[in-house]
Amino acid sequence: TSPNVRMLRFTLLNFITGVIIRHWQLAQEGEKANKKFALIIHNDTRRNAHDWQWETVGNLLELFAEKAKTKDSDLRRLFDECYADLSRSVTANGGKMPLSDNCFEEVCKALIGGDVMKVRVNSDNKVSALLDENSELNLRTPFNIFIGGSILDRGITIPNLMGFYYGRNPKTMQADTVLQHSRMYGSRDRADLAVTRFY
């Protein structure tokens, strides 16, 4: 509940809500509603920062899951914020939204069911083990959260990115690094773009 992680809380639940919205939209179009999406959390290159992010994200997801079991009012308030935020851009794009209560129910199911996966991506891990047959980061569930450092900001492809919790404070700004970081501007389906967020 700390104000220090207010935006991180919002980022996580907004990402999950966005995926639920896209799955509902795909089902309405008669398509398979199991598309997998990714969120990057990358705002520092230092390992101790990744450790803090890893632990904090894990704690938040555990608390969300506990609150989802009882449909807690605090979780519902945060969901309502997310739903309103996403609704603005989905509607502006001419898209449809699921009913709020139904969407909240599905968000709770995802949280309780353990479908939200966090993966650490840094030099401690053998990155090749995290890649799929296309040499892209493997999306194992519909909700993939990648936390890490420099490996995430260059030289690795992450499919279906729809969330970026991102920031850097380098001693020296380098144009090529900035360009490599600019994957957030890459081409994506307009319906995915309507629920994509950059924090």
Side-chain angles (χ1 to χ4, degrees):
T1 58
S2 166
N4 295 338
V5 291
R6 183 186 67 81
M7 189 51 67
L8 183 57
R9 274 194 307 273
F10 184 78
T11 299
L12 293 171
L13 199 64
N14 215 32
F15 168 65
I16 295 164
T17 304
V19 173
I20 296 296
I21 291 167
R22 284 298 293 128
H23 284 181
W24 179 85
Q25 290 172 336
L26 289 166
Q28 296 299 301
E29 295 162 11
E31 296 183 37
K32 285 186 179 176
N34 59 355
K35 188 173 178 181
K36 298 172 182 175
F37 291 93
L39 164 70
I40 286 180
I41 296 178
H42 170 68
N43 59 358
D44 208 312
T45 57
R46 292 171 301 149
R47 198 157 301 158
N48 61 346
H50 307 159
D51 292 341
W52 180 88
Q53 291 162 1
W54 178 262
E55 186 178 335
T56 304
V57 167
N59 289 340
L60 286 169
L61 291 174
E62 282 178 31
L63 289 168
F64 284 168
E66 283 303 308
K67 290 180 176 293
K69 289 174 186 171
T70 61
K71 309 289 191 293
D72 181 86
S73 59
D74 288 338
L75 181 65
R76 181 61 196 236
R77 268 193 299 277
L78 182 56
F79 164 80
D80 287 341
E81 267 186 72
C82 295
Y83 185 87
D85 171 65
L86 293 162
S87 184
R88 283 191 290 275
S89 54
V90 168
T91 304
N93 188 49
K96 294 181 178 163
M97 291 285 290
L99 294 173
S100 176
D101 287 346
N102 295 350
C103 191
F104 182 62
E105 188 68 35
E106 292 302 314
V107 166
C108 289
K109 278 187 200 171
L111 290 166
I112 295 166
D115 293 335
V116 183
M117 175 178 268
K118 65 185 174 86
V119 178
R120 193 187 310 238
V121 184
N122 62 22
S123 54
D124 289 343
N125 295 348
K126 190 168 174 69
V127 174
S128 59
L130 302 174
L131 302 179
D132 64 15
E133 64 278 358
N134 299 317
S135 297
E136 298 177 340
L137 272 181
N138 191 18
L139 305 185
R140 296 189 195 141
T141 76
F143 314 87
N144 297 272
I145 301 168
F146 296 108
I147 301 170
S150 297
I151 292 170
L152 279 179
D153 67 27
R154 65 174 69 86
I156 195 164
T157 303
I158 306 167
N160 301 330
L161 268 172
M162 68 181 245
F164 305 84
Y165 185 84
Y166 191 86
R168 293 293 294 280
N169 189 17
K171 290 181 182 138
T172 307
M173 183 65 84
Q174 296 182 23
D176 63 332
T177 303
V178 172
L179 288 172
Q180 287 170 347
H181 292 186
S182 296
R183 67 178 78 213
M184 66 283 296
Y185 303 120
S187 176
R188 50 180 52 79
D189 184 296
R190 282 188 65 88
D192 289 350
L193 186 61
V195 294
T196 296
R197 294 293 184 269
F198 186 78
Y199 306 94

